[in-house]
C-alpha cells in the first residue's frame, strides 16, 4: 500500500513533469494526452491540447494555430462539457477504438462515438490542414474513420467541406461560441441554405433564416460578396455528388494562412494572417453592419452602430444576465426593473403606467396594425391591453405585444418614434434624472376626481412651483441645484402645456420634441381652469 508521503511525492513528480509543454506525434492506445502535453501537426502549423479560454477551472480540448502569439482556437471537442483539471483529465484512445475525453475519476465526457470501428488499433493525428483524424494504425492515411473537418465548431478551414448530406439530410454548420470565454453553442449558426439554393445563410436560434446571406454561387464567387470577384486570394469550389453537396476552398498561394469563422456576435468573417505583423485582418464580413444581425441585443435590447458597446438596454430595463452582458454576450437581452401596473384601476402611489417616447428607432416587424382616428386613441388601445408593451403612431397605429426584439437606434430622421410602456415609478425616476420633471409624454400624469369631472394633472405642489416660476424646486435634492436653467424652464413649460383642459390645446409629440431640443420656443401657457381651482384651494 502506498503511504501518504509517497502518494504526495508521486503527485509532485507528475505535476512537475506536466508543467512543461511536451509535443507528441499521435494519440494511440496506452499513450494518452494530459496536462500540458500537446500534439503538433507535422509542419508545426497547428497544435492540439487542453486550453482555458478565460473562465477559471474550465478546460477544453481544442486546436489552435501554433506559431501565433495569440491563441486563436479553430476547433473545440468538449465545447459543452469542460473539465476542471487538465492534469487529472485525458484525451485517449478507448478500448473500442474511439477517441474519448475522460475527466476526473475517468468519467467519459466526449467521444468520437463511432460504433462500427471493430478494433482498438487506432491512432489520432493532427494534419497541417488543422484536421484531427482518427484512423486504423498502419492503414493508408486516406482510410479515415472520423475527422474534425466533418464535425466543425465555429471555424471553416481551407480544404474542409461545409454542406449537406443528401441521404441523411444532415447539414454541417458553424455554430458560434456563447461568448469570448465560453465555447458552448451560441445563438447563431452558418451553413448552406436549407431551402436548396447554392448559397450560405446565417440562422438565429437554430432554424430561422433571418440575415447574412452570401448571395447565390455564380460559378466563381457568391454574388452577395463582390469582394470575391477579382484578384481574390481563395479558390472556392462547389461539389455535388449523388450523396453530398458542399463548398470547399483553398488559398491560391499555399503560404497564405486564412480561415472563415463565425464570431460569437453573429458575424461571419474571413481572416487573413499578415506575415509582416503576425496579426489577423479581415478581408470581408457579413453582415457589414453588426446591427443587421437579428436579435443581436436580445429582448428589449437596442443596437446602435455608433455606440461602444453597440448593445444597450431600453430605459427602465436591465441586463437579464450581468455576467453574460459583461462578456459581450447580449443575446439574453434585458428585463424590466419594475413590472408595469395593469388591469382595472391599478395604481402605484396613485399613478398608472404610461409611455416613454424614444425617437429615431428601427422597430420590430411583428406589430399589430390598428385603424384609429388619433394618437390618443392609439395610446388608449395599448393601455387597455395588459400584453401591449409599446406602440407607434404615424400614418396609422402599430401595437407590439410581449417582448420587443431587433430594436435599432437610428440617426435623426431615419426611424420612428416608439412609445415604450413603463411602470409609473420608472417614469418618475427617469423624470428626476432628466431635471426633476417626468417629461411631456402622455400617460405619465396622475388622474384624480374633482366632483363629477375627471381630468389629468401633475402633483399640485409641482404645478404651483411651475406657475410661480420656481422650477429649481422641482429638482432632485441630490443634484444640489446643478441644472441647466434654460432646459429646466423649457421642460416645465412643456409639462404645463400638456395639462391644458382641452386636449386640442395640448402640443403634438412632434412639437414637444422640438421644444425640448430648443428648436422652437414656447412662452408660459395659461393656467388651466382645473389647476387654478386646486391652487386657489
Amino acid at each position: 500500500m502506498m503511504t501518504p508521503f509517497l502518494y504526495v511525492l508521486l503527485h509532485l513528480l507528475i505535476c512537475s513533469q506536466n508543467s512543461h509543454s511536451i509535443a507528441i506525434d499521435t494519440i494511440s492506445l496506452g499513450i494518452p494526452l494530459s496536462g500540458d502535453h500537446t500534439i503538433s501537426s507535422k509542419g508545426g502549423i497547428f497544435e492540439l491540447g487542453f486550453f482555458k479560454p478565460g473562465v477559471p477551472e474550465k478546460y477544453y480540448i481544442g486546436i489552435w494555430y501554433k506559431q501565433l502569439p495569440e491563441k486563436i482556437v479553430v476547433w473545440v471537442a468538449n465545447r459543452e462539457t469542460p473539465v476542471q483539471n487538465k492534469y487529472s483529465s485525458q484525451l485517449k484512445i478507448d478500448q473500442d477504438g474511439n477517441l474519448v475525453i475522460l475527466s476526473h475519476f475517468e468519467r467519459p465526457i466526449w467521444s468520437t462515438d463511432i460504433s462500427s470501428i471493430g478494433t482498438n488499433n487506432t491512432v489520432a493525428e493532427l494534419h497541417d490542414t488543422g484536421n484531427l483524424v482518427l484512423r486504423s494504425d498502419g492503414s493508408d492515411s486516406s482510410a479515415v474513420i472520423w475527422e474534425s473537418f466533418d464535425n466543425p465548431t465555429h471555424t471553416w478551414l481551407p480544404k474542409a467541406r461545409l454542406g449537406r448530406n443528401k441521404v441523411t439530410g444532415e447539414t454541417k454548420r458553424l455554430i458560434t461560441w456563447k461568448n469570448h470565454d465560453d465555447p458552448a453553442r451560441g445563438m447563431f449558426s452558418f451553413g448552406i441554405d436549407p431551402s436548396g439554393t447554392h448559397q450560405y445563410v446565417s440562422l438565429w436560434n437554430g432554424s430561422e433564416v433571418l440575415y447574412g446571406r452570401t448571395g447565390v454561387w455564380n460559378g466563381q464567387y457568391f454574388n452577395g460578396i463582390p469582394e470575391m470577384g477579382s484578384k481574390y486570394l481563395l479558390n472556392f469550389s462547389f461539389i455535388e455528388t449523388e450523396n453530398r453537396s458542399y463548398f470547399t476552398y483553398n488559398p491560391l498561394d499555399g503560404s497564405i494562412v486564412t480561415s472563415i469563422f463565425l464570431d460569437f456576435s453573429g458575424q461571419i468573417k474571413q481572416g487573413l494572417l499578415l506575415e509582416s505583423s503576425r496579426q489577423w485582418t479581415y478581408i470581408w464580413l457579413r453582415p457589414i453592419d453588426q446591427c443587421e444581425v437579428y436579435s443581436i441585443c436580445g429582448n428589449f435590447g437596442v443596437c446602435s452602430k455608433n455606440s461602444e458597446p453597440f448593445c444597450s438596454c431600453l430605459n427602465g430595463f436591465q441586463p437579464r444576465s450581468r455576467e453574460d452582458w459583461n462578456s459581450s454576450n447580449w443575446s439574453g437581452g434585458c428585463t424590466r426593473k419594475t413590472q408595469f401596473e395593469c388591469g382595472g384601476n391599478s395604481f402605484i402611489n396613485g399613478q398608472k403606467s404610461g409611455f416613454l417616447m424614444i425617437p429615431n428607432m428601427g422597430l420590430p416587424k411583428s406589430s399589430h396594425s390598428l385603424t384609429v382616428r388619433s394618437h390618443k386613441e392609439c395610446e388608449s388601445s395599448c393601455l387597455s391591453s395588459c400584453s401591449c408593451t409599446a406602440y407607434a403612431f404615424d400614418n396609422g397605429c402599430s401595437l407590439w405585444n410581449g417582448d420587443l426584439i431587433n430594436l435599432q437606434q437610428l440617426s435623426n430622421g431615419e426611424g420612428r418614434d416608439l412609445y415604450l410602456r413603463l411602470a409609473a415609478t420608472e417614469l418618475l425616476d427617469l423624470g428626476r434624472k432628466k431635471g426633476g420633471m417626468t417629461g411631456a409624454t402622455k400617460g405619465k400624469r396622475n388622474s384624480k376626481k374633482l366632483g363629477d369631472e375627471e381630468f389629468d394633472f401633475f402633483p399640485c405642489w409641482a404645478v404651483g412651483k411651475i406657475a410661480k416660476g420656481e422650477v429649481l424646486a422641482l429638482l432632485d435634492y441630490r443634484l444640489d441645484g446643478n441644472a441647466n436653467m434654460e432646459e429646466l424652464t423649457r421642460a416645465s413649460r412643456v409639462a404645463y402645456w400638456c395639462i391644458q383642459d382641452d386636449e386640442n390645446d395640448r402640443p403634438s409629440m412632434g412639437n414637444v420634441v422640438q421644444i425640448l431640443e430648443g428648436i422652437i420656443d414656447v412662452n408660459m401657457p395659461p393656467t388651466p381652469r382645473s389647476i387654478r381651482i386646486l391652487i386657489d384651494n
Side-chain angles (χ1 to χ4, degrees):
M1 178 180 292
M2 185 180 295
T3 66
F5 173 77
L6 290 176
Y7 180 88
V8 172
L9 180 60
L10 179 61
H11 179 73
L12 290 174
L13 287 172
I14 293 173
C15 288
S16 66
Q17 290 175 352
N18 285 335
S19 62
H20 300 89
S21 179
I22 303 172
I24 58 179
D25 295 326
T26 61
I27 299 174
S28 59
L29 190 65
I31 307 179
L33 182 147
S34 184
D36 292 318
H37 291 183
T38 61
I39 291 179
S40 294
S41 63
K42 185 174 294 185
I45 298 174
F46 288 96
E47 189 171 28
L48 176 145
F50 283 98
F51 77 99
K52 183 174 67 173
V55 179
E57 305 307 323
K58 288 187 177 181
Y59 292 90
Y60 304 83
I61 285 289
I63 300 172
W64 57 85
Y65 290 98
K66 183 174 182 178
Q67 301 299 331
L68 299 185
E70 178 186 359
K71 184 172 288 185
I72 298 178
V73 176
V74 299
W75 184 80
V76 184
N78 55 320
R79 62 186 305 181
E80 303 289 344
T81 51
V83 297
Q84 293 184 345
N85 190 322
K86 62 181 179 179
Y87 298 107
S88 61
S89 301
Q90 297 180 340
L91 177 66
K92 61 177 290 186
I93 299 295
D94 205 4
Q95 291 297 326
D96 63 0
N98 276 289
L99 188 63
V100 298
I101 298 175
L102 303 179
S103 67
H104 193 49
F105 299 122
E106 297 194 348
R107 182 174 66 89
I109 62 167
W110 177 88
S111 170
T112 50
D113 197 25
I114 305 298
S115 60
S116 58
I117 295 179
T119 177
N120 60 12
N121 188 30
T122 57
V123 295
E125 59 188 10
L126 182 61
H127 293 179
D128 278 336
T129 58
N131 192 16
L132 176 63
V133 170
L134 179 69
R135 61 176 176 81
S136 296
D137 191 14
S139 68
D140 187 316
S141 60
S142 64
V144 174
I145 299 172
W146 176 94
E147 58 184 320
S148 61
F149 270 12
D150 273 344
N151 299 271
T153 52
H154 67 297
T155 302
W156 182 13
L157 291 170
K159 300 185 185 301
R161 303 170 296 273
L162 202 62
R164 181 191 305 110
N165 186 315
K166 294 181 179 180
V167 178
T168 64
E170 182 184 12
T171 299
K172 302 296 184 182
R173 298 190 179 279
L174 306 182
I175 302 177
T176 58
W177 284 29
K178 187 177 180 181
N179 57 50
H180 276 302
D181 299 328
D182 189 348
R185 292 175 177 84
M187 294 292 290
F188 306 101
S189 62
F190 177 85
I192 201 164
D193 187 357
S195 67
T197 63
H198 296 166
Q199 66 174 320
Y200 284 99
V201 296
S202 296
L203 294 92
W204 175 77
N205 208 18
S207 60
E208 298 182 60
V209 180
L210 296 165
Y211 73 98
R213 295 178 180 272
T214 60
V216 177
W217 177 250
N218 62 18
Q220 295 181 318
Y221 59 90
F222 298 104
N223 59 26
I225 309 178
E227 300 96 312
M228 297 174 61
S230 62
K231 297 182 179 179
Y232 196 55
L233 301 172
L234 307 180
N235 177 32
F236 270 83
S237 300
F238 176 70
I239 310 297
E240 188 159 24
T241 67
E242 182 179 353
N243 297 327
R244 304 178 69 174
S245 61
Y246 60 88
F247 285 93
T248 187
Y249 72 97
N250 290 290
L252 295 178
D253 184 341
S255 65
I256 291 176
V257 177
T258 186
S259 65
I260 295 172
F261 69 98
L262 185 62
D263 187 79
F264 73 92
S265 63
Q267 282 182 312
I268 188 74
K269 305 176 179 180
Q270 185 195 343
L272 176 69
L273 179 64
L274 298 178
E275 185 64 31
S276 57
S277 62
R278 307 298 291 173
Q279 297 293 320
W280 283 94
T281 187
Y282 299 118
I283 300 175
W284 59 264
L285 54 85
R286 289 296 184 277
I288 297 174
D289 183 353
Q290 185 71 66
C291 291
E292 291 179 18
V293 177
Y294 185 81
S295 191
I296 181 64
C297 300
N299 299 340
F300 297 107
V302 182
C303 187
S304 174
K305 61 183 179 181
N306 298 319
S307 299
E308 182 61 40
F310 49 80
C311 282
S312 61
C313 289
L314 289 167
N315 280 323
F317 290 78
Q318 61 190 359
R320 187 175 298 276
S321 169
R322 179 63 65 180
E323 180 181 358
D324 285 350
W325 204 266
N326 291 338
S327 299
S328 301
N329 175 20
W330 304 283
S331 60
C334 309
T335 185
R336 289 185 183 274
K337 295 178 181 177
T338 307
Q339 183 60 42
F340 61 76
E341 315 81 48
C342 189
N345 294 318
S346 179
F347 295 87
I348 289 184
N349 296 329
Q351 295 197 323
K352 295 186 293 186
S353 63
F355 298 95
L356 176 70
M357 192 272 283
I358 308 174
N360 305 312
M361 294 294 292
L363 301 179
K365 297 179 180 178
S366 57
S367 64
H368 170 64
S369 297
L370 195 66
T371 301
V372 297
R373 292 169 294 181
S374 65
H375 187 164
K376 181 69 174 179
E377 191 174 341
C378 183
E379 178 191 80
S380 298
S381 297
C382 188
L383 276 175
S384 65
S385 171
C386 290
S387 62
C388 185
T389 51
Y391 76 91
F393 182 81
D394 48 6
N395 299 320
C397 178
S398 300
L399 305 180
W400 283 270
N401 295 326
D403 297 336
L404 297 179
I405 301 176
N406 219 35
L407 292 168
Q408 293 187 43
Q409 184 67 63
L410 305 177
S411 301
N412 287 337
E414 292 185 359
R416 301 170 65 189
D417 293 341
L418 175 71
Y419 293 84
L420 175 68
R421 191 171 187 174
L422 293 177
T425 52
E426 289 296 331
L427 292 167
L428 285 172
D429 186 54
L430 288 169
R432 294 188 190 101
K433 292 177 181 178
K434 294 180 180 179
M437 297 302 299
T438 58
T441 306
K442 295 177 182 180
K444 295 182 185 179
R445 300 186 295 271
N446 293 344
S447 180
K448 187 174 181 180
K449 290 278 187 177
L450 183 63
D452 295 327
E453 181 181 9
E454 185 181 80
F455 59 91
D456 290 343
F457 69 98
F458 282 96
C460 187
W461 66 268
V463 171
K465 294 297 182 181
I466 296 174
K468 297 175 183 178
E470 299 173 355
V471 293
L472 273 177
L474 303 175
L475 280 178
D476 190 310
Y477 71 91
R478 290 170 290 186
L479 296 177
D480 293 326
N482 296 320
N484 186 308
M485 280 300 298
E486 181 182 350
E487 292 181 357
L488 187 55
T489 300
R490 190 185 305 143
S492 301
R493 289 177 177 177
V494 169
Y496 216 64
W497 193 9
C498 286
I499 57 174
Q500 298 298 307
D501 292 317
D502 190 339
E503 183 178 347
N504 294 323
D505 292 334
R506 300 172 187 173
S508 67
M509 290 311 302
N511 285 337
V512 168
V513 173
Q514 289 179 314
I515 294 169
L516 292 176
E517 291 181 348
I519 298 175
I520 60 176
D521 295 323
V522 61
N523 295 322
M524 187 66 184
T527 302
R529 180 183 64 83
S530 52
I531 300 302
R532 288 200 303 271
I533 295 173
L534 285 174
I535 294 175
D536 291 342
N537 291 337

